[in-house]
Short mmCIF file of all heavy atoms in Angstrom, two decimals:
data_model
loop_
_atom_site.label_atom_id
_atom_site.label_comp_id
_atom_site.label_asym_id
_atom_site.label_seq_id
_atom_site.Cartn_x
_atom_site.Cartn_y
_atom_site.Cartn_z
N ALA B 977 1.92 -3.29 -4.45
CA ALA B 977 1.76 -3.38 -5.91
C ALA B 977 3.07 -3.05 -6.61
O ALA B 977 3.42 -3.69 -7.62
CB ALA B 977 0.66 -2.42 -6.35
N ILE B 978 3.83 -2.07 -6.08
CA ILE B 978 5.15 -1.79 -6.64
C ILE B 978 6.03 -3.03 -6.52
O ILE B 978 6.75 -3.40 -7.44
CB ILE B 978 5.81 -0.59 -5.92
CG1 ILE B 978 4.95 0.66 -6.12
CG2 ILE B 978 7.22 -0.35 -6.43
CD1 ILE B 978 5.43 1.85 -5.31
N GLY B 979 5.93 -3.70 -5.35
CA GLY B 979 6.72 -4.91 -5.13
C GLY B 979 6.42 -5.98 -6.17
O GLY B 979 7.32 -6.70 -6.60
N LEU B 980 5.15 -6.08 -6.60
CA LEU B 980 4.79 -7.07 -7.61
C LEU B 980 5.60 -6.87 -8.88
O LEU B 980 6.00 -7.82 -9.54
CB LEU B 980 3.31 -6.91 -7.96
CG LEU B 980 2.31 -7.76 -7.21
CD1 LEU B 980 0.94 -7.55 -7.78
CD2 LEU B 980 2.70 -9.22 -7.35
N PHE B 981 5.84 -5.61 -9.25
CA PHE B 981 6.61 -5.34 -10.46
C PHE B 981 8.09 -5.53 -10.24
O PHE B 981 8.82 -5.97 -11.11
CB PHE B 981 6.35 -3.91 -10.94
CG PHE B 981 5.04 -3.76 -11.64
CD1 PHE B 981 3.95 -3.25 -10.98
CD2 PHE B 981 4.91 -4.17 -12.95
CE1 PHE B 981 2.74 -3.14 -11.63
CE2 PHE B 981 3.70 -4.05 -13.60
CZ PHE B 981 2.61 -3.53 -12.94
N LYS B 982 8.55 -5.18 -9.04
CA LYS B 982 9.99 -5.08 -8.81
C LYS B 982 10.66 -6.41 -8.48
O LYS B 982 11.80 -6.63 -8.86
CB LYS B 982 10.22 -4.10 -7.65
CG LYS B 982 11.28 -3.07 -7.92
CD LYS B 982 11.53 -2.25 -6.69
CE LYS B 982 12.86 -2.62 -6.11
NZ LYS B 982 13.17 -1.80 -4.94
N LEU B 983 9.95 -7.26 -7.76
CA LEU B 983 10.61 -8.45 -7.23
C LEU B 983 10.75 -9.51 -8.32
O LEU B 983 9.93 -9.58 -9.23
CB LEU B 983 9.84 -8.98 -6.03
CG LEU B 983 9.85 -8.00 -4.86
CD1 LEU B 983 8.91 -8.45 -3.77
CD2 LEU B 983 11.24 -7.85 -4.31
N PRO B 984 11.81 -10.32 -8.24
CA PRO B 984 12.15 -11.18 -9.37
C PRO B 984 11.33 -12.47 -9.52
O PRO B 984 11.22 -12.94 -10.65
CB PRO B 984 13.62 -11.52 -9.13
CG PRO B 984 13.82 -11.34 -7.68
CD PRO B 984 12.90 -10.27 -7.25
N ASP B 985 10.82 -13.09 -8.45
CA ASP B 985 10.13 -14.36 -8.72
C ASP B 985 8.82 -14.48 -7.95
O ASP B 985 8.46 -13.64 -7.12
CB ASP B 985 11.04 -15.56 -8.46
CG ASP B 985 11.34 -15.72 -6.99
OD1 ASP B 985 10.75 -15.00 -6.20
OD2 ASP B 985 12.17 -16.57 -6.64
N LEU B 986 8.11 -15.57 -8.25
CA LEU B 986 6.79 -15.83 -7.68
C LEU B 986 6.76 -15.77 -6.16
O LEU B 986 5.86 -15.18 -5.57
CB LEU B 986 6.34 -17.22 -8.16
CG LEU B 986 5.10 -17.81 -7.53
CD1 LEU B 986 3.89 -17.04 -7.97
CD2 LEU B 986 4.95 -19.26 -7.93
N TYR B 987 7.79 -16.35 -5.51
CA TYR B 987 7.72 -16.49 -4.05
C TYR B 987 7.92 -15.14 -3.37
O TYR B 987 7.25 -14.81 -2.39
CB TYR B 987 8.75 -17.52 -3.59
CG TYR B 987 8.64 -18.75 -4.45
CD1 TYR B 987 9.51 -18.98 -5.50
CD2 TYR B 987 7.58 -19.62 -4.27
CE1 TYR B 987 9.34 -20.06 -6.33
CE2 TYR B 987 7.40 -20.70 -5.10
CZ TYR B 987 8.29 -20.91 -6.13
OH TYR B 987 8.10 -21.97 -6.96
N LEU B 988 8.87 -14.34 -3.92
CA LEU B 988 9.08 -13.01 -3.35
C LEU B 988 7.86 -12.13 -3.60
O LEU B 988 7.47 -11.34 -2.74
CB LEU B 988 10.32 -12.38 -3.98
CG LEU B 988 11.61 -13.09 -3.58
CD1 LEU B 988 12.75 -12.66 -4.46
CD2 LEU B 988 11.93 -12.78 -2.13
N ARG B 989 7.25 -12.29 -4.76
CA ARG B 989 6.05 -11.49 -5.03
C ARG B 989 4.93 -11.89 -4.09
O ARG B 989 4.20 -11.03 -3.59
CB ARG B 989 5.60 -11.70 -6.47
CG ARG B 989 6.49 -10.96 -7.43
CD ARG B 989 6.05 -11.19 -8.84
NE ARG B 989 7.06 -10.68 -9.75
CZ ARG B 989 7.28 -11.16 -10.95
NH1 ARG B 989 6.57 -12.17 -11.38
NH2 ARG B 989 8.20 -10.64 -11.71
N ALA B 990 4.78 -13.19 -3.85
CA ALA B 990 3.74 -13.63 -2.92
C ALA B 990 3.99 -13.02 -1.54
O ALA B 990 3.04 -12.63 -0.85
CB ALA B 990 3.71 -15.15 -2.84
N SER B 991 5.26 -12.92 -1.13
CA SER B 991 5.58 -12.30 0.16
C SER B 991 5.18 -10.83 0.16
O SER B 991 4.62 -10.32 1.13
CB SER B 991 7.06 -12.40 0.46
OG SER B 991 7.47 -13.73 0.55
N ALA B 992 5.44 -10.13 -0.95
CA ALA B 992 5.11 -8.71 -1.02
C ALA B 992 3.60 -8.51 -0.98
O ALA B 992 3.10 -7.60 -0.30
CB ALA B 992 5.69 -8.08 -2.28
N VAL B 993 2.86 -9.34 -1.69
CA VAL B 993 1.41 -9.22 -1.68
C VAL B 993 0.86 -9.51 -0.29
O VAL B 993 -0.16 -8.95 0.11
CB VAL B 993 0.80 -10.15 -2.74
CG1 VAL B 993 -0.69 -10.24 -2.58
CG2 VAL B 993 1.12 -9.63 -4.11
N GLY B 994 1.58 -10.36 0.46
CA GLY B 994 1.16 -10.65 1.83
C GLY B 994 0.99 -9.39 2.67
O GLY B 994 0.10 -9.32 3.50
N THR B 995 1.82 -8.36 2.43
CA THR B 995 1.67 -7.15 3.23
C THR B 995 0.36 -6.45 2.93
O THR B 995 -0.27 -5.93 3.84
CB THR B 995 2.82 -6.15 2.97
OG1 THR B 995 2.75 -5.72 1.62
CG2 THR B 995 4.16 -6.75 3.26
N SER B 996 -0.08 -6.45 1.66
CA SER B 996 -1.34 -5.76 1.39
C SER B 996 -2.52 -6.59 1.86
O SER B 996 -3.48 -6.04 2.42
CB SER B 996 -1.46 -5.45 -0.10
OG SER B 996 -1.82 -6.59 -0.81
N ALA B 997 -2.46 -7.91 1.67
CA ALA B 997 -3.60 -8.73 2.07
C ALA B 997 -3.72 -8.80 3.58
O ALA B 997 -4.80 -8.96 4.12
CB ALA B 997 -3.45 -10.14 1.49
N GLY B 998 -2.60 -8.67 4.29
CA GLY B 998 -2.67 -8.72 5.74
C GLY B 998 -2.85 -7.35 6.36
O GLY B 998 -3.96 -6.94 6.69
N LEU B 999 -1.75 -6.61 6.45
CA LEU B 999 -1.79 -5.32 7.14
C LEU B 999 -2.65 -4.30 6.39
O LEU B 999 -3.39 -3.53 7.01
CB LEU B 999 -0.37 -4.79 7.30
CG LEU B 999 -0.20 -3.64 8.27
CD1 LEU B 999 -0.52 -4.09 9.66
CD2 LEU B 999 1.20 -3.09 8.20
N GLY B 1000 -2.57 -4.30 5.06
CA GLY B 1000 -3.31 -3.30 4.29
C GLY B 1000 -4.80 -3.37 4.54
O GLY B 1000 -5.43 -2.40 4.97
N VAL B 1001 -5.37 -4.55 4.29
CA VAL B 1001 -6.82 -4.69 4.45
C VAL B 1001 -7.21 -4.54 5.92
O VAL B 1001 -8.21 -3.88 6.24
CB VAL B 1001 -7.28 -6.05 3.88
CG1 VAL B 1001 -8.73 -6.27 4.17
CG2 VAL B 1001 -7.02 -6.11 2.40
N ALA B 1002 -6.40 -5.12 6.82
CA ALA B 1002 -6.75 -5.04 8.24
C ALA B 1002 -6.81 -3.59 8.70
O ALA B 1002 -7.72 -3.20 9.44
CB ALA B 1002 -5.74 -5.83 9.07
N SER B 1003 -5.86 -2.76 8.25
CA SER B 1003 -5.88 -1.40 8.78
C SER B 1003 -6.98 -0.57 8.12
O SER B 1003 -7.52 0.35 8.75
CB SER B 1003 -4.52 -0.73 8.67
OG SER B 1003 -4.27 -0.33 7.37
N ILE B 1004 -7.39 -0.89 6.90
CA ILE B 1004 -8.54 -0.19 6.32
C ILE B 1004 -9.81 -0.54 7.09
O ILE B 1004 -10.62 0.34 7.42
CB ILE B 1004 -8.69 -0.53 4.82
CG1 ILE B 1004 -7.58 0.16 4.04
CG2 ILE B 1004 -10.04 -0.06 4.30
CD1 ILE B 1004 -7.62 -0.10 2.57
N VAL B 1005 -9.98 -1.83 7.41
CA VAL B 1005 -11.17 -2.23 8.18
C VAL B 1005 -11.16 -1.55 9.54
O VAL B 1005 -12.18 -1.04 10.02
CB VAL B 1005 -11.22 -3.77 8.33
CG1 VAL B 1005 -12.32 -4.18 9.28
CG2 VAL B 1005 -11.43 -4.41 6.99
N LEU B 1006 -9.97 -1.51 10.17
CA LEU B 1006 -9.86 -0.87 11.49
C LEU B 1006 -10.21 0.62 11.39
O LEU B 1006 -10.92 1.18 12.25
CB LEU B 1006 -8.44 -1.06 12.01
CG LEU B 1006 -8.20 -0.73 13.48
CD1 LEU B 1006 -8.95 -1.70 14.34
CD2 LEU B 1006 -6.71 -0.79 13.78
N GLY B 1007 -9.73 1.27 10.33
CA GLY B 1007 -10.03 2.68 10.15
C GLY B 1007 -11.52 2.92 9.97
O GLY B 1007 -12.10 3.83 10.59
N ALA B 1008 -12.16 2.08 9.15
CA ALA B 1008 -13.61 2.23 8.94
C ALA B 1008 -14.35 2.01 10.25
O ALA B 1008 -15.33 2.71 10.55
CB ALA B 1008 -14.08 1.23 7.89
N LEU B 1009 -13.85 1.05 11.05
CA LEU B 1009 -14.49 0.80 12.35
C LEU B 1009 -14.40 2.03 13.25
O LEU B 1009 -15.38 2.40 13.91
CB LEU B 1009 -13.83 -0.39 13.02
CG LEU B 1009 -14.24 -0.67 14.46
CD1 LEU B 1009 -15.66 -1.19 14.49
CD2 LEU B 1009 -13.31 -1.66 15.11
N LEU B 1010 -13.22 2.66 13.27
CA LEU B 1010 -13.06 3.83 14.14
C LEU B 1010 -13.95 4.98 13.70
O LEU B 1010 -14.45 5.75 14.53
CB LEU B 1010 -11.60 4.28 14.13
CG LEU B 1010 -10.65 3.43 14.97
CD1 LEU B 1010 -9.23 3.88 14.76
CD2 LEU B 1010 -11.03 3.52 16.43
N MET B 1011 -14.17 5.12 12.40
CA MET B 1011 -14.98 6.23 11.92
C MET B 1011 -16.45 6.00 12.19
O MET B 1011 -17.23 6.96 12.24
CB MET B 1011 -14.75 6.45 10.43
CG MET B 1011 -13.35 6.93 10.15
SD MET B 1011 -13.06 7.25 8.42
CE MET B 1011 -13.80 8.85 8.24
N ASP B 1012 -16.86 4.76 12.32
CA ASP B 1012 -18.28 4.47 12.53
C ASP B 1012 -18.39 3.38 13.59
O ASP B 1012 -18.68 2.23 13.29
CB ASP B 1012 -18.90 4.01 11.20
CG ASP B 1012 -20.38 3.79 11.33
OD1 ASP B 1012 -20.95 4.23 12.35
OD2 ASP B 1012 -20.98 3.17 10.43
N PHE B 1013 -18.11 3.77 14.84
CA PHE B 1013 -17.98 2.76 15.88
C PHE B 1013 -19.33 2.37 16.48
O PHE B 1013 -20.14 3.22 16.80
CB PHE B 1013 -17.07 3.26 17.00
CG PHE B 1013 -16.68 2.15 17.94
CD1 PHE B 1013 -15.60 1.36 17.65
CD2 PHE B 1013 -17.43 1.90 19.06
CE1 PHE B 1013 -15.25 0.31 18.50
CE2 PHE B 1013 -17.10 0.86 19.91
CZ PHE B 1013 -16.01 0.07 19.62
N SER B 1014 -19.55 1.06 16.58
CA SER B 1014 -20.68 0.55 17.37
C SER B 1014 -20.35 -0.88 17.75
O SER B 1014 -19.43 -1.48 17.18
CB SER B 1014 -21.98 0.61 16.57
OG SER B 1014 -21.95 -0.36 15.56
N GLY B 1015 -21.09 -1.42 18.69
CA GLY B 1015 -20.79 -2.77 19.15
C GLY B 1015 -20.89 -3.78 18.02
O GLY B 1015 -20.01 -4.63 17.86
N LEU B 1016 -21.94 -3.65 17.23
CA LEU B 1016 -22.15 -4.60 16.15
C LEU B 1016 -21.03 -4.48 15.11
O LEU B 1016 -20.51 -5.49 14.62
CB LEU B 1016 -23.52 -4.34 15.50
CG LEU B 1016 -23.94 -5.34 14.43
CD1 LEU B 1016 -24.04 -6.73 15.04
CD2 LEU B 1016 -25.27 -4.94 13.82
N ASN B 1017 -20.63 -3.23 14.81
CA ASN B 1017 -19.54 -3.04 13.85
C ASN B 1017 -18.23 -3.64 14.35
O ASN B 1017 -17.44 -4.13 13.56
CB ASN B 1017 -19.34 -1.55 13.56
CG ASN B 1017 -20.38 -1.04 12.59
OD1 ASN B 1017 -21.14 -1.82 12.03
ND2 ASN B 1017 -20.43 0.27 12.42
N LEU B 1018 -18.01 -3.56 15.68
CA LEU B 1018 -16.80 -4.15 16.25
C LEU B 1018 -16.76 -5.65 15.95
O LEU B 1018 -15.74 -6.18 15.50
CB LEU B 1018 -16.76 -3.88 17.75
CG LEU B 1018 -15.57 -4.47 18.49
CD1 LEU B 1018 -14.29 -3.79 18.04
CD2 LEU B 1018 -15.74 -4.32 19.99
N VAL B 1019 -17.90 -6.33 16.19
CA VAL B 1019 -17.96 -7.77 15.92
C VAL B 1019 -17.71 -8.04 14.45
O VAL B 1019 -16.92 -8.92 14.08
CB VAL B 1019 -19.34 -8.32 16.36
CG1 VAL B 1019 -19.45 -9.79 16.00
CG2 VAL B 1019 -19.55 -8.12 17.84
N LYS B 1020 -18.36 -7.24 13.58
CA LYS B 1020 -18.18 -7.45 12.13
C LYS B 1020 -16.72 -7.26 11.74
O LYS B 1020 -16.18 -8.03 10.94
CB LYS B 1020 -19.03 -6.44 11.35
CG LYS B 1020 -20.50 -6.75 11.32
CD LYS B 1020 -21.20 -5.72 10.46
CE LYS B 1020 -22.68 -5.68 10.72
NZ LYS B 1020 -23.29 -4.43 10.21
N ALA B 1021 -16.08 -6.21 12.29
CA ALA B 1021 -14.70 -5.93 11.91
C ALA B 1021 -13.79 -7.06 12.35
O ALA B 1021 -12.90 -7.49 11.59
CB ALA B 1021 -14.24 -4.62 12.54
N ILE B 1022 -14.00 -7.59 13.57
CA ILE B 1022 -13.14 -8.69 14.04
C ILE B 1022 -13.30 -9.90 13.13
O ILE B 1022 -12.30 -10.51 12.71
CB ILE B 1022 -13.47 -9.02 15.51
CG1 ILE B 1022 -13.02 -7.86 16.41
CG2 ILE B 1022 -12.79 -10.30 15.94
CD1 ILE B 1022 -13.42 -8.02 17.84
N ILE B 1023 -14.56 -10.23 12.79
CA ILE B 1023 -14.77 -11.38 11.90
C ILE B 1023 -14.11 -11.13 10.54
O ILE B 1023 -13.44 -12.01 10.00
CB ILE B 1023 -16.28 -11.64 11.73
CG1 ILE B 1023 -16.88 -12.09 13.06
CG2 ILE B 1023 -16.52 -12.71 10.67
CD1 ILE B 1023 -18.37 -12.26 13.02
N ALA B 1024 -14.29 -9.91 10.01
CA ALA B 1024 -13.72 -9.61 8.69
C ALA B 1024 -12.21 -9.75 8.71
O ALA B 1024 -11.62 -10.35 7.80
CB ALA B 1024 -14.11 -8.20 8.26
N ILE B 1025 -11.56 -9.23 9.76
CA ILE B 1025 -10.09 -9.28 9.79
C ILE B 1025 -9.61 -10.71 9.92
O ILE B 1025 -8.71 -11.15 9.19
CB ILE B 1025 -9.55 -8.39 10.93
CG1 ILE B 1025 -9.79 -6.92 10.59
CG2 ILE B 1025 -8.07 -8.63 11.14
CD1 ILE B 1025 -9.34 -5.96 11.66
N ILE B 1026 -10.23 -11.48 10.82
CA ILE B 1026 -9.77 -12.87 10.99
C ILE B 1026 -9.97 -13.67 9.70
O ILE B 1026 -9.06 -14.38 9.25
CB ILE B 1026 -10.50 -13.53 12.17
CG1 ILE B 1026 -10.05 -12.88 13.48
CG2 ILE B 1026 -10.21 -15.02 12.21
CD1 ILE B 1026 -10.75 -13.41 14.69
N ALA B 1027 -11.14 -13.52 9.07
CA ALA B 1027 -11.40 -14.27 7.84
C ALA B 1027 -10.42 -13.86 6.74
O ALA B 1027 -9.89 -14.71 6.01
CB ALA B 1027 -12.84 -14.04 7.38
N GLN B 1028 -10.15 -12.56 6.65
CA GLN B 1028 -9.23 -12.08 5.63
C GLN B 1028 -7.83 -12.64 5.84
O GLN B 1028 -7.18 -13.13 4.90
CB GLN B 1028 -9.21 -10.54 5.67
CG GLN B 1028 -8.08 -9.90 4.94
CD GLN B 1028 -8.17 -10.12 3.45
OE1 GLN B 1028 -9.25 -10.38 2.93
NE2 GLN B 1028 -7.04 -10.06 2.77
#
Side-chain angles (χ1 to χ4, degrees):
Chain B
I978 298 173
L980 267 185
F981 282 100
K982 227 185 108 178
L983 295 171
D985 69 6
L986 170 69
Y987 312 100
L988 292 166
R989 285 179 190 151
S991 298
V993 169
T995 64
S996 77
L999 194 65
V1001 174
S1003 76
I1004 288 180
V1005 172
L1006 193 66
L1009 172 71
L1010 283 174
M1011 293 182 80
D1012 184 13
F1013 192 86
S1014 71
L1016 186 61
N1017 281 352
L1018 178 67
V1019 176
K1020 285 183 198 163
I1022 291 175
I1023 293 175
I1025 290 178
I1026 291 177
Q1028 165 66 23

